[in-house]
Amino acid sequence: MKINLLTFFFLLLFSNWALAQEGSDFSWSAYLDTYFGYDFNKPRSHDRQYSNMAARHNEFNINHAYFLGAFENENIRSEIGVQFGTYPDFNYAAEPSDFYRLIYKAYAGAKLTEGVWLDVGMFPGHTGYESVESLDNEIYTRALSTEYTPYYETGVRITAELSEKVTLTGVVLNGWQNIGETNKSKAFGMNFNYQLSDAVELNYGNYFGDEGTRFTSSKYRVYNHFYIKHQTSEKFHYMLGFDHASQEPLSSNLTETFYFLTIIAQYRFSEKFSIAWRFEQVDDNSQILISTNTTEGFVGQVYAINFNYHISDNAMFRIEGKLYDTEGEIFTEGPEVSNSNQLIVGSLAVRF
């Protein structure tokens, strides 16, 4: 069954590509993100902790690659794509079927009225600032607020362009980054994006859902995400983001919380060269999202700096240095434990 479905995906993508050459409503794209990362804690398994991106230590590898076919006309749209790389290996690890790791996007949509679309299937997460595709981000690796919130979702999505400046999105989902359902409940969320001006963008999103499973008690999660992006000049912009959530068993008043504060800035020296910084303040002491496999939660700061060479609009080479500094000893360092971790990673990514 898996082979038949995979063959179907590739045939669909090939047919989309062939039709796209004829100027139809079909199009296709491909993406390749390669990397080499060196983790100074030298994990014995070569698997880096607390990361889905550039997740392997001391080896050349493919972070993310996909083939994507798309169709869109005045009333109908759809996207279906297959993927591979260490990103889906790590980020889809909790899915009940290995086959799900192959699915990058798979949804179909219909226009309900002018500016309003209904999509059903698997699509990108409705909240968050950073994208799954590194070319769209200032920093190569992702913030923990991105790594531990949904990259993808499965369910129903309604997107309404209320004006040239305002877009509202509502979703009903299987759960928090699930393809395969884990309980009987459905989750809900929305996202509000307001382009205040050419220079300022405001965004707010939320999520409400039961994060228990068929085998565990119910845990109701309320998640809020906000960011503001400011383009101060042609060369410089920054983003300030804040994520906060509470989670409690449905049968008690015990509430646990976490928050992420994220600041990203980028300065572009020229058309080809830029530098970017990111600072994160993280507090998940209750291990709601970030499981440390210790008695101590993830509380601390993360720093990153990137030097980027923009080869073209669809290709980039970059080098990143990253430092984790936590209150507790939650990093494995050989046979020992540590409260810090350092990473150097280089990447070449191309989109076709």
Side-chain angles (χ1 to χ4, degrees):
M1 182 65 175
K2 292 181 181 180
I3 295 175
N4 291 338
L5 284 172
L6 183 58
T7 302
F8 168 76
F9 280 152
F10 276 113
L11 287 174
L12 180 60
L13 289 168
F14 179 77
S15 65
N16 284 356
W17 174 81
L19 288 167
Q21 311 313 302
E22 301 173 2
S24 72
D25 295 322
F26 288 92
S27 62
W28 73 279
S29 60
Y31 178 76
L32 177 62
D33 173 1
T34 62
Y35 73 95
F36 177 86
Y38 191 87
D39 186 321
F40 285 85
N41 283 9
K42 302 176 182 178
R44 290 179 173 179
S45 67
H46 288 255
D47 292 343
R48 295 186 51 247
Q49 293 180 278
Y50 314 115
S51 181
N52 294 309
M53 297 292 180
R56 292 284 290 171
H57 157 65
N58 195 27
E59 67 181 35
F60 295 95
N61 216 316
I62 295 172
N63 183 55
H64 191 205
Y66 68 72
F67 299 93
L68 180 69
F71 172 86
E72 182 169 357
N73 61 24
E74 186 177 350
N75 298 304
I76 299 294
R77 68 184 183 186
S78 67
E79 288 188 297
I80 184 167
V82 294
Q83 66 179 356
F84 57 90
T86 58
Y87 154 70
D89 286 346
F90 280 75
N91 198 43
Y92 287 58
E95 293 291 351
S97 170
D98 289 343
F99 175 68
Y100 289 151
R101 300 183 188 187
L102 293 171
I103 307 174
Y104 176 48
K105 294 179 184 178
Y107 70 88
K111 185 166 73 171
L112 303 181
T113 186
E114 192 62 35
V116 181
W117 286 85
L118 172 68
D119 300 306
V120 182
M122 176 188 166
F123 37 77
H126 71 284
T127 64
Y129 175 75
E130 294 176 309
S131 166
V132 68
E133 298 179 33
S134 63
L135 283 176
D136 298 329
N137 303 319
E138 295 89 344
I139 307 290
Y140 176 64
T141 63
R142 309 303 185 272
L144 289 171
S145 59
T146 304
E147 291 278 57
Y148 284 92
T149 56
Y151 279 109
Y152 64 88
E153 299 170 330
T154 305
V156 178
R157 174 180 67 184
I158 295 180
T159 307
E161 295 182 1
L162 304 181
S163 70
E164 292 183 357
K165 295 186 175 182
V166 178
T167 301
L168 183 65
T169 302
V171 294
V172 180
L173 307 168
N174 283 345
W176 183 269
Q177 191 167 262
N178 296 335
I179 299 177
E181 182 59 278
T182 60
N183 57 37
K184 296 180 180 180
S185 300
K186 292 295 174 282
F188 306 89
M190 58 82 68
N191 193 79
F192 176 81
N193 185 271
Y194 179 32
Q195 195 69 42
L196 185 62
S197 67
D198 291 341
V200 180
E201 176 187 355
L202 302 176
N203 192 90
Y204 167 74
N206 59 33
Y207 171 94
F208 306 89
D210 176 10
E211 297 312 305
T213 70
R214 298 182 181 92
F215 311 104
T216 63
S217 59
S218 295
K219 294 182 178 181
Y220 194 70
R221 181 175 297 168
V222 179
Y223 166 73
N224 294 278
H225 166 76
F226 171 81
Y227 75 78
I228 177 172
K229 180 181 178 181
H230 185 197
Q231 186 82 39
T232 63
S233 67
E234 291 184 359
K235 292 187 174 183
F236 181 78
H237 71 263
Y238 68 89
M239 186 282 298
L240 174 63
F242 184 73
D243 298 68
H244 180 273
S246 61
Q247 182 170 290
E248 65 179 34
L250 296 179
S251 59
S252 77
N253 295 320
L254 177 64
T255 301
E256 300 171 328
T257 64
F258 71 83
Y259 76 83
F260 301 108
L261 172 65
T262 308
I263 302 172
I264 299 173
Q266 183 183 67
Y267 182 82
R268 195 142 183 174
F269 297 100
S270 65
E271 183 180 346
K272 295 292 186 181
F273 295 96
S274 68
I275 187 172
W277 308 263
R278 184 174 61 218
F279 167 77
E280 305 170 57
Q281 178 68 47
V282 182
D283 189 329
D284 190 5
N285 193 47
S286 301
Q287 303 189 47
I288 298 173
L289 291 185
I290 308 177
S291 176
T292 66
N293 296 314
T294 73
T295 58
E296 300 179 274
F298 198 117
V299 180
Q301 299 81 38
V302 186
Y303 310 86
I305 184 169
N306 260 219
F307 297 93
N308 306 315
Y309 174 49
H310 304 261
I311 302 169
S312 65
D313 290 340
N314 62 336
M316 190 186 307
F317 172 76
R318 60 213 318 192
I319 297 176
E320 175 180 342
K322 192 169 188 177
L323 169 65
Y324 298 80
D325 183 19
T326 58
E327 293 183 5
E329 295 182 333
I330 61 173
F331 293 94
T332 302
E333 188 172 2
E336 307 297 331
V337 292
S338 171
N339 69 339
S340 67
N341 179 229
Q342 301 83 36
L343 169 72
I344 291 179
V345 59
S347 166
L348 176 61
V350 181
R351 183 159 46 207
F352 307 93

